[in-house]
Amino acid sequence: MDVKDDDVTQALTPSTLIDDAPPPVRRRLRIITVIATFGGLLFGYDTGVINGALPYMTDDLGLTPFTEGMVTSSLLLGAALGSLLGGRLSDARGRRRNILLLAVIFFFGALGCTLAPNTELMIVARFVLGLAVGGASVTVPVYLAEISPAERRGRLVTRNELMIVSGQLAAFTFNAIIANVGGESGGIWRWMLVVATLPAVALWFGMLVMPESPRWLASQGRYADALAVLKQVRSEQRAEAELSEVSAMAVEDEKAKLGGWNDLRVPWVRKLVLVGIGIAIVMQITGVNTIMYYGTQILTDAGFAADSALTANIANGVISVLATFVGIWLLGRVNRRPMLMIGQLGTIAAQLLIGVFSLVMPAGDGRAFAVLAMTITFLAFQQGAISPVTWLMLSEIFPLKMRGFGLGIAAFALWITNFLIGLVFPILVDAVGVSNTFFVFVALGILAVAFVKQYVPETRGRTLENLEHELKARFS
């Protein structure tokens, strides 16, 4: 090929082409994003609903601090296993087929929780529901990352985070409404849990008419099918240029035999997986899910009455949604790595003040509203920076042939960390108090900032294929 041909090839790469897709094509991409992110909505609702349901469940099922932790954390243990299995299944069977399977598990898991007659069956049902939550946490971001244009990937993938926090807000809101309407009637928590069956049905029917990930199709050698999908969501010229890059990367990964546990013997892949595990753990050791799962109890301990704490906890859900909108806007304008570090510094400051206020302020309205203000501040930084950047980076950094598998390993670490924190938090608060518990998270947060500064790469502004080349060079 002569110089002139090289110039033409360079001119037709996805990185240099502006996607001038017509409105129907852009609308198709938006519809795909909305339907797929119902998995995120279910993720958010099923993890957030326990926040308000747990106090009522404790009375009906006779829970102790330990079994409270088990009911809350069994979902997280299931999510750890689900993320590992879900990553492998999405690489083997396809992203779309995996999401359809997850919708079924979401439905029956939520139904099992609703009908559970005792603590033991509730723990089992929550574990099954966790399998779906974990599977969705790795499959939906990868599906969105692989179907999105490079310049819009950050915003589209982060729509899943928006749906997660919207699901949590919906859980907090329905909890408060059902509690106010139902009063002290027995089994009121069952109505809180059954709501999650509705979006599961919507996800299943919606994904029936959605396309498969074009990059997964290319990884299976189905290049004509991949091009057909790309033409649904790109201009024709952009689709053809992108397929050329994706197919070349798929061939390169196939030659390298990437795609399973043996990949961890390759030094650059092993290092990248360790970085992914680190990013996942960093997100969790902020202690975000202590507020998501135990926020009502934290506010009750600070001085709110039980019903008032349920209502006040809605503020945590509202700020999470608003902060995620800000995060989506920022991801199109600033680099991922500094955004992650600023989010960490903000959460550290908020947790430090929660600990101080709980320690020095007398019980009453003053302390209650001060703690509420700091939980809102914490969530603004967490959901506006840390959470969206984490899930976006984890969907970007792994090679094509092992993207689901690599994200599954990282998410497994994330959910195990989440499980351990969810399990020990009520026990730790009971043993050393709220203040000292939050001081522990402050110390962990400082270590997390040091990790990000030293090891986390920048991923903004690259196609997934260019990013794979860059990270291979960096970690080799």
Side-chain angles (χ1 to χ4, degrees):
M1 184 179 288
D2 59 24
V3 174
K4 183 178 179 181
D5 289 336
D6 283 334
D7 291 342
V8 171
T9 302
Q10 177 60 32
L12 293 180
T13 61
S15 302
T16 57
L17 277 173
I18 296 174
D19 191 19
D20 56 349
V25 172
R26 290 178 175 268
R27 185 160 55 249
R28 175 68 168 162
L29 183 58
R30 287 196 296 271
I31 291 170
I32 291 170
T33 302
V34 170
I35 295 299
T37 54
F38 266 84
L41 183 74
L42 285 157
F43 173 163
Y45 191 93
D46 288 320
T47 54
V49 69
I50 198 68
N51 194 318
L54 195 60
Y56 299 96
M57 194 185 299
T58 298
D59 293 337
D60 282 0
L61 299 181
L63 302 181
T64 65
F66 176 75
T67 52
E68 274 187 34
M70 283 302 299
V71 166
T72 301
S73 301
S74 57
L75 181 144
L76 309 178
L77 192 59
L81 181 59
S83 63
L84 205 57
L85 295 176
R88 290 292 277 168
L89 284 173
S90 74
D91 281 346
R93 301 175 69 250
R95 322 310 188 195
R96 173 183 168 274
R97 290 175 66 190
N98 205 42
I99 294 173
L100 283 168
L101 173 63
L102 293 170
V104 174
I105 300 173
F106 269 122
F107 180 84
F108 286 105
L111 203 59
C113 291
T114 302
L115 300 176
N118 54 48
T119 302
E120 291 75 19
L121 288 179
M122 173 60 72
I123 291 171
V124 171
R126 290 272 293 171
F127 178 84
V128 170
L129 192 57
L131 294 174
V133 169
S137 73
V138 299
T139 309
V140 174
V142 166
Y143 179 72
L144 294 175
E146 291 184 341
I147 211 163
S148 302
E151 67 276 8
R152 299 179 63 192
R153 189 173 66 240
R155 293 184 180 183
L156 292 182
V157 175
T158 310
R159 299 286 173 86
N160 190 55
E161 178 64 23
L162 177 62
M163 290 292 266
I164 292 172
V165 295
S166 295
Q168 290 169 335
L169 173 59
F172 300 159
T173 304
F174 278 117
N175 285 349
I177 292 171
I178 292 169
N180 286 326
V181 171
E184 298 300 319
S185 59
I188 195 172
W189 52 272
R190 298 185 189 276
W191 292 102
M192 299 175 181
L193 300 179
V194 77
V195 173
T197 58
L198 301 178
V201 172
L203 176 64
W204 191 82
F205 279 106
M207 287 305 297
L208 284 177
V209 294
M210 293 298 104
E212 183 52 85
S213 157
R215 285 177 166 82
W216 182 82
L217 290 169
S219 75
Q220 303 301 303
R222 296 166 58 182
Y223 301 118
D225 292 337
L227 180 60
V229 174
L230 284 170
K231 286 181 176 179
Q232 293 183 39
V233 291
R234 308 280 195 279
S235 65
E236 187 166 342
Q237 186 183 37
R238 175 71 178 266
E240 290 172 353
E242 194 163 318
L243 178 67
S244 177
E245 188 174 73
V246 173
S247 58
M249 194 75 253
V251 170
E252 188 175 321
D253 283 353
E254 185 65 32
K255 288 179 179 177
K257 302 299 181 185
L258 293 177
W261 287 105
N262 287 337
D263 302 336
L264 300 182
R265 297 176 183 175
V266 181
W268 74 272
V269 173
R270 183 170 61 250
K271 291 175 185 176
L272 198 54
V273 168
L274 290 173
V275 169
I277 290 171
I279 293 171
I281 292 174
V282 159
M283 175 185 170
Q284 290 303 310
I285 60 175
T286 62
V288 55
N289 288 312
T290 62
I291 293 174
M292 289 290 99
Y293 306 152
Y294 299 107
T296 302
Q297 283 135 300
I298 291 170
L299 293 176
T300 302
D301 182 79
F304 283 105
D307 290 345
S308 299
L310 267 176
T311 304
N313 197 52
I314 295 175
N316 289 336
V318 171
I319 198 63
S320 293
V321 172
L322 295 176
T324 304
F325 274 114
V326 174
I328 292 172
W329 181 81
L330 286 173
L331 281 169
R333 291 163 174 79
V334 301
N335 288 341
R336 328 279 206 228
R337 188 169 167 273
M339 188 171 164
L340 182 57
M341 293 181 68
I342 290 170
Q344 289 175 307
L345 293 172
T347 57
I348 289 169
Q351 287 175 317
L352 181 63
L353 289 174
I354 290 174
V356 170
F357 291 156
S358 298
L359 188 64
V360 304
M361 294 182 72
D365 289 346
R367 186 172 76 180
F369 283 100
V371 170
L372 176 61
M374 285 304 100
T375 61
I376 289 172
T377 302
F378 172 91
L379 289 171
F381 283 100
Q382 176 76 33
Q383 308 292 20
I386 297 175
S387 294
V389 170
T390 296
W391 287 114
L392 176 56
M393 278 189 159
L394 291 178
S395 71
E396 295 173 323
I397 63 174
F398 297 109
L400 172 61
K401 286 286 286 185
M402 60 167 293
R403 189 163 290 138
F405 178 57
L407 178 50
I409 293 174
F412 177 80
L414 183 151
W415 287 111
I416 286 293
T417 306
N418 194 345
F419 165 74
L420 293 173
I421 290 174
L423 180 63
V424 305
F425 181 79
I427 300 169
L428 197 58
V429 169
D430 187 57
V432 302
V434 171
S435 297
N436 289 329
T437 300
F438 277 98
F439 292 150
V440 170
F441 287 120
V442 169
L444 293 173
I446 293 170
L447 294 175
V449 171
F451 171 82
V452 172
K453 184 176 180 180
Q454 182 69 28
Y455 296 109
V456 173
E458 183 55 59
T459 62
R460 180 172 174 247
R462 289 87 161 168
T463 66
L464 293 175
E465 290 68 39
N466 285 340
L467 183 60
E468 182 172 336
H469 283 297
E470 287 184 23
L471 294 177
K472 182 177 180 180
R474 172 173 175 172
F475 291 104
S476 291

